[in-house]
Amino acid sequence: MTLVTGGRNAPPPPGAQVPVVASDSHYLSDAGPDAPVLVEFLDFECEACAAAYPLVEQIREEYDGRLSVVARYFPLPGHANAENAAVAVEAAAGQGAFEAMYQRMYATQAQWGEQQQSQADLFRTFAADLGLDLAAYDAAVADPGTLSRVGRDLTDGQALGVQSTPTFFLDGQRIEPTSIEDFRAQVDAALAQRR
């Protein structure tokens, strides 16, 4: 079973090492090269990702300056607008608004999620609300390179064994936190290993 959607990037060759954090990954928090790194493969239309979002934000706040947090796209094919949402966020990222658009997607998911028709026009209104240059935003959305960038995250995720969202990695190891307390314990353990 393949989960590749419109990104359609070729899978890495067998035995290739795929990094959990790519050179062009988006950092929500960057605590520097010596800090543990939490990576989330996410789908903006995924209800479980929306449920995890406040926990991730809480962890970011509590460990500010001590933990780096990276978001990577993993739009699932069962969600009609997951890829559109990822492309919209990536287009916003080109104007320095990755985090603002990321937050807007989760804040409004109940409004646009589970819709079968394209929500691209709605996502454009989000870009306008954020004060983005809409001509540049439209050009980025239309640019095949934007979709390819989303597809690279998806392909990397598949190579790393990601099958559902949200999927978390902490310092390169997959973790499955069951609560905010469990999340904290795993981050604390990663921090303790750095001492």
Side-chain angles (χ1 to χ4, degrees):
M1 176 180 85
T2 180
L3 298 179
V4 175
T5 57
R8 291 191 179 84
N9 290 331
Q17 290 297 316
V18 175
V20 176
V21 179
S23 60
D24 60 354
S25 288
H26 295 293
Y27 281 78
L28 292 166
S29 302
D30 187 352
D34 297 327
V37 180
L38 176 69
V39 178
E40 178 185 5
F41 282 86
L42 56 85
D43 173 335
F44 291 109
E45 194 169 353
C46 165
E47 291 178 357
C49 292
Y53 168 69
L55 301 180
V56 173
E57 290 297 290
Q58 188 173 342
I59 291 291
R60 281 181 64 200
E61 184 178 329
E62 289 179 18
Y63 293 90
D64 185 44
R66 296 183 293 152
L67 175 71
S68 294
V69 180
V70 173
R72 299 195 69 184
Y73 308 113
F74 201 83
L76 296 168
H79 294 148
N81 280 286
E83 189 172 87
N84 283 338
V87 165
V89 173
E90 184 60 23
Q95 297 187 49
F98 174 84
E99 185 172 353
M101 188 67 104
Y102 158 95
Q103 292 173 337
R104 180 64 62 94
M105 288 299 175
Y106 283 131
T108 61
Q109 187 194 80
Q111 176 184 350
W112 60 267
E114 303 303 321
Q115 303 292 321
Q116 293 309 303
Q117 66 275 24
S118 172
Q119 298 296 302
D121 288 345
L122 175 65
F123 300 155
R124 188 177 190 272
T125 69
F126 297 166
D129 292 346
L130 294 174
L132 301 186
D133 176 329
L134 291 182
Y137 172 84
D138 291 343
V141 167
D143 183 347
T146 305
L147 180 59
S148 179
R149 166 67 184 79
V150 171
R152 285 195 303 276
D153 274 5
L154 181 70
T155 301
D156 284 358
Q158 289 170 324
L160 291 164
V162 176
Q163 295 180 344
S164 61
T165 55
T167 294
F168 295 99
F169 290 84
L170 182 59
D171 279 347
Q173 300 300 311
R174 187 170 173 168
I175 62 168
E176 295 182 15
T178 56
S179 65
I180 188 70
E181 293 77 19
D182 186 25
F183 228 141
R184 283 191 197 105
Q186 296 196 50
V187 172
D188 287 342
L191 284 165
Q193 290 179 354
R194 302 283 172 145
R195 292 193 185 115

